[in-house]
Amino acid sequence: AAEMAMENYKQFLFFLATSLSVGFVAVVFVLRWVLYFRGGLAWDGDQAEFNWHPVLTVTGFIFIQGIAIVVYRLPWTWKCSKLMMKFIHAGLNTLAFIIAIISLVAVFDFHNTKNIPNMYSLHSWVGLAAVILYALQLLLGLCIYLVPITPVSIRAAFMPIHVFSGLFIFASVIAAALMGITEKLIFSLNNPKYSSSPPEAIFVNVLGLLLLLYGALILWIATRSPWKRPSEQSAPARLTNGGGCKSDREGLTMSDSVAEVRNEPDPSSEARRRNPNQDEAGQRSTM
Amino acid sequence: AAEMAMENYKQFLFFLATSLSVGFVAVVFVLRWVLYFRGGLAWDGDQAEFNWHPVLTVTGFIFIQGIAIVVYRLPWTWKCSKLMMKFIHAGLNTLAFIIAIISLVAVFDFHNTKNIPNMYSLHSWVGLAAVILYALQLLLGLCIYLVPITPVSIRAAFMPIHVFSGLFIFASVIAAALMGITEKLIFSLNNPKYSSSPPEAIFVNVLGLLLLLYGALILWIATRSPWKRPSEQSAPARLTNGGGCKSDREGLTMSDSVAEVRNEPDPSSEARRRNPNQDEAGQRSTM
């Protein structure tokens, strides 16, 4: 179970490479949008400050969050300790969260200097709800999966909720971005209008499709069970060396040593050992 | 495995009742929107014809599609033949598709009589893409799961794609609806404007949140593995009577007789029997 069949591995690499490429092209598109069509980036209370809002959302809250979601699935990390991977997952999500907050500050600051009301649109409601749920998700994730004293039973019971919420929040952020694109094109295209399909309209609609495609690819990778990180139980590398990456035994990181000292069990495999028929707990990150 | 634990069953009923209630309230909201705020319904090439677009989308393409997605999960249908459930699943999806087409006709007809361009917005791109993918999904689903000669190996191999596409299209329709709400409120609210949050703006924003919540609940129900319909293998009711609903042996329907004559195998359980380690095929509708 620890080794992925070659065919499977190639398919995984194809989807991973495609998703990262699509996400990267989306970042390039949002940069070209604001730099070429919308007057660039600045922190001046004006349009160029607003422009940080789409740039930071697409880069941080969508692209980086997507990477954070699939990080456990990278087969070359399966020989690394689970705890280290948790730190990477939590770190990338924290980075995405900080960027999302700066993105919010940009748009609130722009609205306030321009006397535009805040929080009236469905875009703003869904977007702010997503940021709040993301903060809650981060906090609960840290308490349940990184605080060492949390009982294994709680970790296992909460896992399906953690996975579902994560994917749902990610999808909601993309939905909010699509509404944001819709609003911005209607408000800022005047002569010619959005409805006469000037080059900017077509270009930014394509950005919307890229975001949707990136979402589809990340969700596909995150929900294929053959691409799951093997449970600790069935990963001999983990059992024999107790932590760290197999190929790098000299450079034990702090997190590895912590894992070794505490002998931290994998919540889901532990639960399965105790209760082999607990379907829900056995699902881990496949929903 | 054929019997659901009582706790599990109660949880399922709670989520099912909540999702149906939220979906129903969303239908009531969209009706109140067009009837009370937007001048009612008619087929006159004018605003009242446009109003069929949101009403039919929310009712058919979202609410009915959601029910079609979770229909295999209703425990009281597990004693019915799989083929009959497939007909119900396909029938509800076909109904949703027909309603989606009428919904499209309403908006194209409205645009054409008003000389408003078609297909310029991201809403229209995502919405039309969802309708086309939904048609493809229906067609492929019929050919693969209802044409009796399709090999079991193809049925099993295609199942994860069928399930993922179905859920992704459903989510995309909701995203398109949220963009549609955004557009419509910006275009139709003028005095007072959307940004001054008149009652209609708040009311329709809430409709958007209801659609998002309905999506979350349906996706949650559709991806919980303990709520999966048991495979034919482990359902003694199915094996002993060969089809139909256990409690209604007198009234065999056409589909039941077809199932009995053809002795149709369940694609996933069949695949598992042949290849018990084929994780992907064993997933069925849990992704």
Side-chain angles (χ1 to χ4, degrees):
Chain A
E3 278 209 0
M4 221 181 214
M6 188 47 74
E7 184 56 27
N8 214 349
Y9 183 68
K10 280 185 186 161
Q11 267 192 32
F12 173 82
L13 283 187
F14 170 79
F15 277 96
L16 183 71
T18 310
S19 66
L20 293 181
S21 309
V22 169
F24 181 76
V25 173
V27 170
V28 172
F29 263 59
V30 74
L31 281 171
R32 184 174 139 93
W33 181 24
V34 305
L35 296 177
Y36 178 78
F37 290 107
R38 294 277 123 230
L41 292 162
W43 201 271
D44 57 359
D46 212 325
Q47 191 59 51
E49 180 170 336
F50 171 87
N51 289 345
W52 280 110
H53 182 62
V55 167
L56 293 175
T57 298
V58 170
T59 311
F61 210 15
I62 296 179
F63 188 48
I64 296 177
Q65 186 186 172
I67 297 170
I69 285 173
V70 298
V71 87
Y72 291 113
R73 304 240 149 185
L74 309 175
W76 49 90
T77 70
W78 293 350
K79 56 184 186 301
C80 300
S81 87
K82 183 76 180 267
L83 186 61
M84 190 175 83
M85 295 315 296
K86 287 183 185 182
F87 275 111
I88 293 174
H89 178 72
L92 285 171
N93 277 305
T94 305
L95 178 64
F97 178 69
I98 292 168
I99 295 175
I101 294 293
I102 302 171
S103 162
L104 274 191
V105 171
V107 68
F108 276 90
D109 199 46
F110 166 73
H111 280 175
N112 294 340
T113 39
K114 291 275 184 185
N115 279 316
I116 301 171
N118 288 304
M119 298 304 304
Y120 67 86
S121 69
L122 183 55
H123 162 73
S124 64
W125 289 22
V126 174
L128 190 67
V131 173
I132 293 170
L133 289 175
Y134 196 54
L136 204 68
Q137 171 86 347
L138 259 177
L139 197 72
L140 279 174
L142 290 175
C143 292
I144 294 176
Y145 299 109
L146 279 171
V147 170
I149 56 163
T150 309
V152 161
S153 58
I154 290 182
R155 294 184 172 197
F158 188 67
M159 184 48 83
I161 299 167
H162 181 73
V163 171
F164 182 85
S165 310
L167 300 185
F168 179 72
I169 292 168
F170 176 66
S172 300
V173 173
I174 291 179
L178 301 185
M179 282 187 275
I181 286 174
T182 299
E183 276 189 11
K184 188 64 188 170
L185 288 178
I186 294 175
F187 291 141
S188 57
L189 293 175
N190 272 308
N191 193 15
K193 294 203 302 180
Y194 190 17
S195 58
S196 44
S197 294
E200 180 179 347
I202 305 288
F203 184 79
V204 182
N205 282 355
V206 173
L207 168 60
L209 294 186
L210 288 171
L211 295 177
L212 204 61
L213 183 59
Y214 180 67
L217 291 164
I218 291 294
L219 293 175
W220 176 256
I221 293 173
T223 56
R224 283 318 80 203
S225 68
W227 295 347
K228 227 172 8 179
R229 182 186 161 103
S231 67
E232 307 304 274
Q233 216 174 353
S234 53
R238 179 74 175 85
L239 289 182
T240 50
N241 65 33
C245 299
K246 207 180 170 187
S247 58
D248 184 20
R249 296 299 300 147
E250 304 301 285
L252 265 184
T253 64
M254 189 210 71
S255 59
D256 295 322
S257 339
V258 172
E260 279 181 335
V261 170
R262 296 208 177 109
N263 194 16
E264 204 210 6
D266 173 70
S268 55
S269 67
E270 179 72 7
R272 252 173 295 174
R273 226 172 295 135
R274 289 183 186 179
N275 184 0
N277 293 321
Q278 198 183 340
D279 211 354
E280 190 82 322
Q283 280 186 297
R284 290 193 302 141
S285 34
T286 304
M287 314 202 12
Chain B
E3 279 208 0
M4 219 182 218
M6 186 48 72
E7 184 55 28
N8 215 348
Y9 183 68
K10 281 185 185 160
Q11 266 193 29
F12 173 81
L13 283 187
F14 170 79
F15 276 97
L16 183 71
T18 310
S19 65
L20 294 180
S21 310
V22 170
F24 181 76
V25 172
V27 171
V28 172
F29 264 59
V30 74
L31 280 171
R32 186 175 137 93
W33 182 22
V34 304
L35 297 176
Y36 178 78
F37 290 107
R38 292 276 125 230
L41 291 164
W43 201 270
D44 58 358
D46 212 325
Q47 191 60 51
E49 181 170 336
F50 172 87
N51 289 345
W52 280 109
H53 181 63
V55 167
L56 293 175
T57 298
V58 170
T59 312
F61 210 15
I62 296 178
F63 187 48
I64 296 178
Q65 187 185 172
I67 296 171
I69 285 173
V70 299
V71 87
Y72 292 113
R73 306 239 148 185
L74 309 176
W76 49 89
T77 70
W78 293 350
K79 55 184 187 299
C80 301
S81 87
K82 184 77 181 269
L83 186 61
M84 188 175 83
M85 295 314 296
K86 286 184 186 181
F87 275 111
I88 294 173
H89 179 71
L92 286 171
N93 276 306
T94 306
L95 178 64
F97 178 69
I98 292 168
I99 295 175
I101 295 293
I102 302 172
S103 162
L104 274 192
V105 171
V107 69
F108 275 91
D109 199 48
F110 166 73
H111 280 176
N112 293 341
T113 41
K114 291 274 184 187
N115 281 316
I116 300 170
N118 288 303
M119 300 302 306
Y120 68 85
S121 69
L122 182 56
H123 162 72
S124 64
W125 289 22
V126 174
L128 190 67
V131 173
I132 292 169
L133 290 175
Y134 196 54
L136 203 69
Q137 171 87 346
L138 258 176
L139 196 72
L140 279 174
L142 290 175
C143 292
I144 294 176
Y145 299 109
L146 279 171
V147 169
I149 57 163
T150 309
V152 161
S153 59
I154 290 181
R155 294 185 172 196
F158 188 67
M159 184 48 84
I161 299 167
H162 181 73
V163 171
F164 182 83
S165 310
L167 300 185
F168 179 71
I169 292 169
F170 176 67
S172 300
V173 173
I174 291 178
L178 301 185
M179 282 187 274
I181 286 174
T182 300
E183 276 190 11
K184 188 65 187 170
L185 289 177
I186 294 174
F187 290 140
S188 57
L189 294 175
N190 272 306
N191 192 16
K193 294 204 301 180
Y194 191 17
S195 58
S196 44
S197 294
E200 181 178 346
I202 306 289
F203 185 78
V204 182
N205 282 355
V206 173
L207 168 60
L209 294 187
L210 287 171
L211 295 177
L212 203 63
L213 182 58
Y214 180 66
L217 291 164
I218 291 293
L219 292 175
W220 175 255
I221 293 172
T223 55
R224 282 317 81 204
S225 68
W227 295 348
K228 224 171 13 178
R229 181 185 163 103
S231 67
E232 308 302 274
Q233 218 176 351
S234 52
R238 179 75 176 83
L239 289 182
T240 50
N241 64 35
C245 297
K246 208 178 168 187
S247 58
D248 184 21
R249 296 298 300 147
E250 305 299 287
L252 265 185
T253 63
M254 190 212 66
S255 59
D256 294 323
S257 340
V258 172
E260 278 179 337
V261 170
R262 297 209 176 108
N263 194 16
E264 204 211 6
D266 173 69
S268 56
S269 66
E270 179 72 8
R272 250 174 295 175
R273 227 171 295 136
R274 290 182 186 178
N275 184 1
N277 292 323
Q278 197 183 340
D279 210 355
E280 190 81 320
Q283 279 187 296
R284 293 192 301 139
S285 34
T286 305
M287 312 197 21

